[in-house]
Amino acid sequence: GFHLSGTVTEPATATEPEMTYKVAISFDRCKITSVTCGCGNKDIFYCAHVVALSLYRIRKPDQVKLRLPISETLFQMNRDQLQKFVQYLITAHHTEVLPTAQKLADEILSSNSEINQVHGAPDPTAGASIDDENCWHLDEEQVREQVKLFLSQGGYYGSGKQLNSMFAKVREMLRMRDSNGARMLTLITEQFMADPRLSLWRQQGTGITEKCRQLWDELGALWVCVVLNPHCKLEEKSCWLRQLRKWGEMDVCPLEDGNYGNELPNITNALTQSSGHSQDSLARPRRTVFTRAIEGCDLHWQDSHLQRIISSDFYVSPSYQREGESLLFNSQGQPLWLEHVPTACARVDALRSHGYPREALRLTVAIINTLRLQQQRQLEIYKHQKKELLQRGATTITNLEGWVGHPLNPIGCLFLTLTEACRLEEENCLEISDAGDSKPPVYQHVPVVSGSQDSDESYLSLALEVALMGMGQQRVMPEGLYAQDKVCRNEEQIIARLQDLELDPVLVQTLRKQCILLLEGGPFSGLGEVIHRESVPMHTFAKYLFSALLPHDADLAYKLALRAMRLPVLETTAPSGDVTHPHHLVSVVPSRYPRWFTLGHLESQQCELASTMLTAAKGDMLRLRTVLEAIQKNIHSSSLIFKLAQDAFKIATPADSNSDTTLLNVALELGLQVMRMTLSTLNWRRREMVRWLVTCATEVGVRALVSILQSWYSLFTPTEATSIVAATVMSHNTILRLSLDYPQREELASCARTLALQCAMKDPQNCALSALTLCEKDHIAFETAYQIVIDAASTGMTYTQLFTIARYMEHRGYPLRAFKLASLAMTHLNLAYNQDTHPAINDVLWACALSHSLGKNELAAIIPLVVKSVHCATVLSDILRRCTMTAPGLAGIPGRRNSGKLMSTDKAPLRQLLDATISAYINTTHSRLTHISPRHYGEFIEFLSKARETFLLAQDGHIQFAQFIDNLKQIYKGKKKLMLLVRERFG
């Protein structure tokens, strides 16, 4: 049949009643070509009712009545039967059908109507003609709508996932060889090209967002797959080419490398790549995400060698090699396929995607045999040039195009093709747990089917080999943030897949063999002895290799990981040819182009690799030393070395067992290096680093502490050395932690005191107080520290520092020394008339109280200093009041007599203070009146009242004050309201 119709009933639910839907399906040559359903559901997939009717027809064919096409049935009727049939039909559906029936009747009765020009009539129940296109039904409008909706959500609400599942649908269609695959991809692409954000991003010059970028990549890769369909018709291909060119020429079309700029070599380039890598980017044509697909349209499958490779497992070279065939086979007679590697892999992807897994596998084996041969040949060439390259200390790069991070993902494609052939499908592999995490795949060895004798290889070992070969390829870091980020992402994806492989003896052998080749490899290997300065670093890859090799061949694992520790882009090497000096390292990022946008990530990967080695080497002094040297030579970031030091410390001091001294020493040595690196540069984590180092040295033991105290000047600033290092070392906790005997305690204390005095000499302002504190228990040291303070007081110290030390001295029971330092502090101070809330006021009051308590002489000595430094009336009157309340000399200094009498303000030294206070009140009053606002009048009157109290302390004070008030009334008579208030209060 060609047409299936039926009614589908959906049972009632708690919220919905039972519903019945009319469904009609047309099909042709085993494909559903159109569907209609009363539910009106719009989706790119068929609704449940269409699926139900189709399954019913498939599962119960005998229940579905098969009828002739309706035209055949009508043919058997006579005129009366036909009239009856039509009238009954119209009656059954008169509302829908009547207008159409009337229109058709009019047309048939009109002799020159269009309907009468055509012979016969259409029949929807009859099949299509043999020449008609036949393809699965696809609701194009729905595809457009859905893609548009997902794009408008900008990658949020899981729309990226939805678009990826549409891409997966396209791949599924291609695999089923459903011609709608390309049609659906066209519809998706049209919507992508119409995304309004494209022109916005282009105008702003900003790159496309990360999520969107990955979708465009997949779109480009899918088109390469489509155009490489080995069995597509020429007209299909030329139609795709026209479309791709049209899209590629639009100025909003995203570019291949993610930033509107420079590009990679052409897809159809053969292996012979010129060294013109640095040619001007302007000379290179604009490459869009569709360029590879456009180039792919030039590729065909007619090559006879290629046809033989993909059509037979047993294609080998004839026993006699014909002239010119040496490039077609290796020495074992296995076929080679010498095409630009990513292009060859794109063919594999196309074969896999279009449902030709066997063919894909055969081509993959030929590509791997070719790569092996190239690896062999490059190794031989390198052996001849080795001496010269090692002397130069640099190398050119043979691969302009890296395979990892490449738009066509060649390595991932070969790896997938090979592992898919080895996958053990479990019975219930369709059941994914609720959490949605599918179990890692399980693989088994499947022997490679081959015509050559000695093939005991498996597709699984080939998968491992090709992944290692690709990851180990030496390649230049591409330009632009997006391309660089993609290198990291692709590398992580491949490693994640490699970690799914259980390393049995066969795979370990493959791993070891390939690692040795990579270490010996010349310029083709990123792990070779010499590499290009801008080579993509191998840290992430080496970390995987190290962990995988360690249980089987520790020497090889370390050799490889240590080799990979370098990061040449951060190193300025000695001039080429001069290998006598070790390479001089600086931690600056070179400003030359191209810039490395992912440098931060790469450095942290380098750090991860080092950390992995340190952990593994715990307890092995020799290995730890080599790892330590590698870190010191190759890592240039202090914060990363600090992180390594902390990691090593954590591993060395497990909570549940004894510390590992070998690793603890490494942690300490790294910590010391960080101290030296950050000593002269500002680092916001510096305090944390210093504290950590003392903790680490304490764990190592007393000798380590003595050592850092003795060489403090190369590690710490004087302030750090006294306030953090020595203070912590001398603390009660440290003594307890180390359980030291008396001689050891004394040795530490002596080192701390020596350090304290050295720091006080170097930086008295910041270290004097700490030095005095550290030297308290040793008389000679304490005296020395005090002398350093006195010497520095006149030149380099502020009044705050001096007052602080003076108060400390008083607290320690040295009041005369405290007085001396307070006097020195006063000479540095200057308090203006309006600074009545200055923080130093408390210090001044304290200094005067101290002098007063020592006796009349000391008070007489400090008052001239106070008068000279303090011009604030309220502070002076406060001092004056305090000095007249009690007799001086109450501190009871031994050997001094104390009269016990109160002091008079009429006699020196208080007379001088009183005069200065009155004078300050007068000056302050005038200063305040020059710019006073009415809201401050009340406050001002209170101020004058305070002034009067001070005036009255003098013998003729009341007369002086009255004169002062008269004076004010005369000068400021313009301020009527204020003067009224003055009169009211003071007459």
Side-chain angles (χ1 to χ4, degrees):
F2 304 108
H3 189 276
L4 176 67
S5 52
T7 51
V8 178
T9 305
E10 202 166 301
T13 63
T15 51
E16 299 286 326
E18 180 180 280
M19 298 291 280
T20 304
Y21 300 104
K22 287 196 164 68
V23 183
I25 301 174
S26 306
F27 41 95
D28 178 14
R29 282 161 275 188
C30 302
K31 297 185 184 81
I32 292 176
T33 53
S34 76
V35 301
T36 50
C37 175
C39 73
N41 227 11
K42 290 282 177 210
D43 200 348
I44 60 170
F45 306 117
Y46 303 145
C47 66
H49 318 111
V50 169
V51 175
L53 183 62
S54 308
L55 290 175
Y56 187 80
R57 166 68 182 79
I58 292 165
R59 289 174 183 167
K60 303 185 176 177
D62 45 342
Q63 306 267 330
V64 179
K65 198 162 185 192
L66 189 61
R67 300 177 184 279
L68 286 170
I70 197 82
S71 51
E72 292 288 323
T73 312
L74 294 173
F75 187 68
Q76 291 165 19
M77 295 182 190
N78 63 26
R79 184 169 179 327
D80 288 350
Q81 287 171 317
L82 282 170
Q83 174 120 18
K84 204 172 199 172
F85 172 76
V86 173
Q87 281 179 256
Y88 266 99
L89 182 64
I90 292 170
T91 308
H93 301 284
H94 68 270
T95 49
E96 298 110 289
V97 174
L98 195 57
T100 314
Q102 189 62 61
K103 181 168 161 271
L104 287 171
D106 292 347
E107 283 189 16
I108 285 172
L109 290 173
S110 160
S111 58
N112 57 353
S113 69
E114 200 176 326
I115 207 166
N116 284 326
Q117 312 300 315
V118 182
H119 185 67
D123 177 0
T125 62
S129 103
I130 193 79
D131 312 322
D132 284 5
E133 267 293 297
N134 67 319
C135 61
W136 287 87
H137 170 68
L138 177 70
D139 188 337
E140 301 193 353
E141 196 41 49
Q142 264 322 102
V143 174
R144 288 193 193 97
E145 284 305 307
Q146 292 217 310
V147 177
K148 198 176 190 170
L149 172 70
F150 295 144
L151 282 173
S152 71
Q153 293 169 350
Y156 302 103
Y157 320 111
S159 60
K161 224 183 201 143
Q162 301 281 5
L163 287 165
N164 272 319
S165 74
M166 288 180 95
F167 288 147
K169 190 81 195 154
V170 171
R171 282 197 182 268
E172 189 188 322
M173 289 166 145
L174 298 179
R175 200 164 56 249
M176 304 305 289
R177 303 183 201 164
D178 173 355
S179 58
N180 273 329
R183 181 75 201 117
M184 181 156 160
L185 188 58
T186 304
L187 297 169
I188 294 173
T189 310
E190 280 166 355
Q191 291 309 310
F192 264 70
M193 288 302 293
D195 187 344
R197 292 174 300 169
L198 286 181
S199 54
L200 204 71
W201 283 324
R202 193 168 177 276
Q203 282 159 11
Q204 295 167 347
T206 50
I208 299 179
T209 60
E210 185 61 27
K211 280 180 176 159
C212 211
R213 204 40 264 199
Q214 292 174 25
L215 293 168
W216 274 101
D217 277 359
E218 176 61 10
L219 193 68
L222 267 173
W223 271 114
V224 173
C225 233
V226 166
V227 303
L228 281 179
N229 176 354
H231 293 298
C232 70
K233 301 193 188 83
L234 264 176
E235 53 269 30
E236 275 182 312
K237 207 184 235 189
S238 54
C239 171
W240 293 331
L241 183 57
R242 274 198 306 279
Q243 266 179 343
L244 290 164
R245 282 199 174 129
K246 189 184 84 195
W247 291 325
E249 281 158 12
M250 291 166 72
D251 53 5
V252 292
C253 186
L255 300 183
E256 181 172 71
D257 66 349
N259 47 347
Y260 296 92
N262 30 51
E263 317 302 335
L264 295 163
N266 183 309
I267 184 174
T268 45
N269 272 7
L271 283 159
T272 54
Q273 288 164 334
S274 65
S275 56
H277 179 60
S278 59
Q279 73 189 89
D280 186 0
S281 60
L282 295 173
R284 288 181 280 186
R286 175 172 174 271
R287 292 182 62 85
T288 71
V289 284
F290 300 118
T291 304
R292 289 182 185 271
I294 292 169
E295 291 165 354
C297 290
D298 296 339
L299 299 172
H300 60 80
W301 297 82
Q302 271 72 59
D303 183 277
S304 59
H305 182 57
L306 176 61
Q307 283 299 326
R308 288 193 191 110
I309 290 173
I310 62 177
S311 54
S312 161
D313 286 317
F314 303 106
Y315 173 44
V316 289
S317 68
S319 44
Y320 58 95
Q321 275 275 339
R322 284 203 299 278
E323 197 55 44
E325 273 198 339
S326 56
L327 277 181
L328 302 183
F329 303 94
N330 63 14
S331 55
Q332 286 91 52
Q334 296 162 315
L336 304 174
W337 180 242
L338 283 157
E339 189 172 36
H340 172 237
V341 176
T343 310
C345 297
R347 287 186 190 274
V348 171
D349 192 29
L351 288 168
R352 231 182 89 235
S353 304
H354 288 286
Y356 302 100
R358 292 292 330 154
E359 288 81 345
L361 211 49
R362 291 170 187 144
L363 183 54
T364 298
V365 174
I367 293 171
I368 291 176
N369 282 327
T370 313
L371 290 176
R372 284 173 171 168
L373 189 65
Q374 283 174 358
Q375 198 179 38
Q376 241 10 80
R377 286 190 182 166
Q378 285 183 318
L379 201 55
E380 283 157 25
I381 296 168
Y382 171 60
K383 279 178 183 155
H384 292 280
Q385 304 171 334
K386 189 170 179 176
K387 200 169 164 215
E388 177 206 345
L389 280 175
L390 286 177
Q391 268 207 302
R392 275 221 316 269
T395 165
T396 52
I397 287 205
T398 52
N399 309 306
L400 296 192
E401 202 171 19
W403 300 330
V404 173
H406 189 283
L408 297 173
N409 188 11
I411 299 302
C413 160
L414 298 182
F415 186 82
L416 269 178
T417 307
L418 291 160
T419 50
E420 272 173 7
C422 304
R423 224 174 149 150
L424 258 181
E425 291 300 343
E426 294 173 38
E427 317 294 281
N428 54 353
C429 69
L430 285 175
E431 287 176 38
I432 292 176
S433 68
D434 292 340
D437 49 346
S438 47
K439 285 193 296 235
V442 182
Y443 299 111
Q444 60 182 354
H445 284 286
V446 175
V448 175
V449 185
S450 156
S452 64
Q453 291 67 43
D454 56 346
S455 184
D456 52 354
E457 292 181 318
S458 84
Y459 291 119
L460 199 58
S461 60
L462 284 189
L464 175 62
E465 183 177 347
V466 80
L468 300 178
M469 233 186 238
M471 300 271 285
Q473 174 211 31
Q474 186 187 185
R475 52 203 184 266
V476 165
M477 178 64 82
E479 292 176 18
L481 165 64
Y482 180 71
Q484 293 178 12
D485 191 50
K486 203 156 143 193
V487 169
C488 303
R489 244 201 342 269
N490 193 203
E491 191 169 39
E492 279 156 16
Q493 287 161 353
I494 297 172
I495 287 174
R497 293 230 169 94
L498 285 174
Q499 280 164 337
D500 287 340
L501 301 182
E502 282 283 320
L503 291 181
D504 59 15
V506 177
L507 292 182
V508 169
Q509 195 185 345
T510 307
L511 178 71
R512 286 193 59 209
K513 186 177 158 195
Q514 198 54 41
C515 286
I516 292 165
L517 276 171
L518 286 171
L519 278 173
E520 289 174 357
F524 74 86
S525 161
L527 290 163
E529 276 178 89
V530 277
I531 52 169
H532 189 276
R533 184 166 172 272
E534 276 159 40
S535 216
V536 171
M538 294 277 137
H539 309 128
T540 317
F541 179 41
K543 188 178 137 198
Y544 161 76
L545 292 177
F546 179 79
S547 305
L549 274 172
L550 198 62
H552 311 289
D553 187 341
D555 286 343
L556 185 58
Y558 277 100
K559 187 177 178 187
L560 203 138
L562 290 166
R563 169 80 57 85
M565 271 294 288
R566 62 203 169 183
L567 186 49
V569 80
L570 288 187
E571 291 159 23
T572 51
T573 45
S576 54
D578 178 10
V579 197
T580 49
H581 303 110
H583 291 194
H584 169 59
L585 312 176
V586 287
S587 64
V588 288
V589 182
S591 57
R592 59 162 310 288
Y593 201 76
R595 303 211 303 286
W596 283 35
F597 297 96
T598 49
L599 194 58
H601 170 75
L602 298 172
E603 284 192 282
S604 67
Q605 289 300 305
Q606 181 188 33
C607 178
E608 286 286 308
L609 173 61
S611 185
T612 308
M613 284 197 279
L614 283 176
T615 311
K618 178 177 172 178
D620 183 336
M621 203 53 235
L622 213 63
R623 288 232 198 271
L624 279 173
R625 282 245 69 86
T626 49
V627 177
L628 180 64
E629 280 163 21
I631 291 168
Q632 289 170 332
K633 181 183 169 199
N634 293 302
I635 298 187
H636 308 299
S637 151
S638 55
S639 54
L640 289 176
I641 297 179
F642 183 49
K643 184 188 175 300
L644 281 174
Q646 288 174 303
D647 287 353
F649 183 76
K650 255 186 221 127
I651 302 158
T653 53
D656 49 0
S657 62
N658 295 339
S659 299
D660 177 81
T661 47
T662 56
L663 200 48
L664 254 183
N665 279 306
V666 168
L668 179 64
E669 205 158 324
L670 289 170
L672 293 171
Q673 187 183 347
V674 173
M675 289 295 104
R676 288 189 284 269
M677 285 171 86
T678 54
L679 179 56
S680 54
T681 58
L682 288 173
N683 189 309
W684 60 277
R685 295 184 65 191
R686 177 78 188 172
R687 278 183 80 79
E688 177 199 350
M689 291 169 167
V690 174
R691 286 182 197 286
W692 178 87
L693 185 83
V694 179
T695 310
C696 181
T698 308
E699 279 300 318
V700 175
V702 70
R703 300 283 11 114
L705 286 175
V706 168
S707 165
I708 65 169
L709 290 174
Q710 286 175 343
S711 56
W712 70 269
Y713 46 86
S714 65
L715 305 168
F716 314 110
T717 63
T719 320
E720 290 166 346
T722 51
S723 65
I724 306 177
V725 184
T728 313
V729 170
M730 295 313 294
S731 70
H732 187 60
N733 285 350
T734 309
I735 307 289
L736 279 180
R737 177 89 189 86
L738 291 169
S739 49
L740 304 176
D741 56 20
Y742 182 73
Q744 287 175 314
R745 279 211 296 264
E746 269 313 289
E747 183 185 13
L748 262 188
S750 163
C751 287
R753 287 193 293 269
T754 308
L755 170 147
L757 294 175
Q758 288 171 341
C759 293
M761 285 290 286
K762 201 168 166 93
D763 182 4
Q765 293 97 321
N766 298 309
C767 301
L769 186 59
S770 304
L772 286 163
T773 315
L774 286 164
C775 296
E776 276 170 5
K777 294 198 172 88
D778 184 287
H779 177 67
I780 297 172
F782 188 77
E783 288 304 313
T784 314
Y786 173 66
Q787 199 48 53
I788 292 170
V789 176
I790 297 295
D791 294 345
S794 53
T795 53
M797 296 184 79
T798 65
Y799 59 82
T800 316
Q801 290 161 339
L802 289 167
F803 275 132
T804 310
I805 297 170
R807 288 192 166 198
Y808 162 82
M809 281 295 182
E810 186 200 26
H811 179 70
R812 299 280 310 140
Y814 296 106
L816 287 168
R817 287 183 174 187
F819 167 73
K820 184 169 184 181
L821 287 164
S823 306
L824 286 166
M826 287 300 296
T827 60
H828 291 278
L829 182 67
N830 186 11
L831 278 186
Y833 77 91
N834 57 355
Q835 288 183 295
D836 50 0
T837 56
H838 194 284
I841 291 172
N842 281 334
D843 289 322
V844 174
L845 295 175
W846 167 81
C848 293
L850 172 71
S851 314
H852 185 263
S853 73
L854 288 174
K856 201 171 168 182
N857 294 346
E858 281 75 15
L859 191 60
I862 206 144
I863 281 175
L865 299 175
V866 171
V867 168
K868 192 174 173 197
S869 302
V870 181
H871 309 288
C872 182
T874 49
V875 177
L876 289 169
S877 63
D878 199 3
I879 296 170
L880 188 60
R881 189 177 53 79
R882 290 172 188 225
C883 289
T884 52
M885 279 164 68
T886 54
L890 295 179
I893 298 289
R896 286 201 187 178
R897 282 180 56 243
N898 174 13
S899 67
K901 277 168 34 185
L902 291 174
M903 292 173 74
S904 159
T905 51
D906 290 343
K907 298 196 183 102
L910 291 190
R911 179 63 208 243
Q912 191 186 356
L913 183 58
L914 176 62
D915 291 346
T917 310
I918 290 172
S919 163
Y921 269 118
I922 293 169
N923 292 337
T924 306
T925 302
H926 287 300
S927 294
R928 287 181 75 163
L929 282 172
T930 50
H931 42 75
I932 190 167
S933 66
R935 62 198 177 98
H936 293 125
Y937 286 177
E939 197 188 309
F940 177 72
I941 297 295
E942 291 311 312
F943 174 75
L944 283 182
S945 302
K946 275 214 179 78
R948 180 164 61 180
E949 287 168 22
T950 303
F951 272 82
L952 294 178
L953 290 174
Q955 268 191 338
D956 54 350
H958 59 289
I959 301 167
Q960 267 185 303
F961 188 69
Q963 278 175 346
F964 173 50
I965 293 293
D966 285 343
N967 215 350
L968 288 184
K969 286 188 281 194
Q970 195 56 41
I971 300 171
Y972 302 102
K973 57 182 174 221
K975 298 186 190 290
K976 290 193 175 70
K977 189 163 181 228
L978 178 60
M979 290 308 124
L980 194 69
L981 293 171
V982 171
R983 262 191 215 97
E984 274 175 16
R985 176 70 70 93
F986 305 110

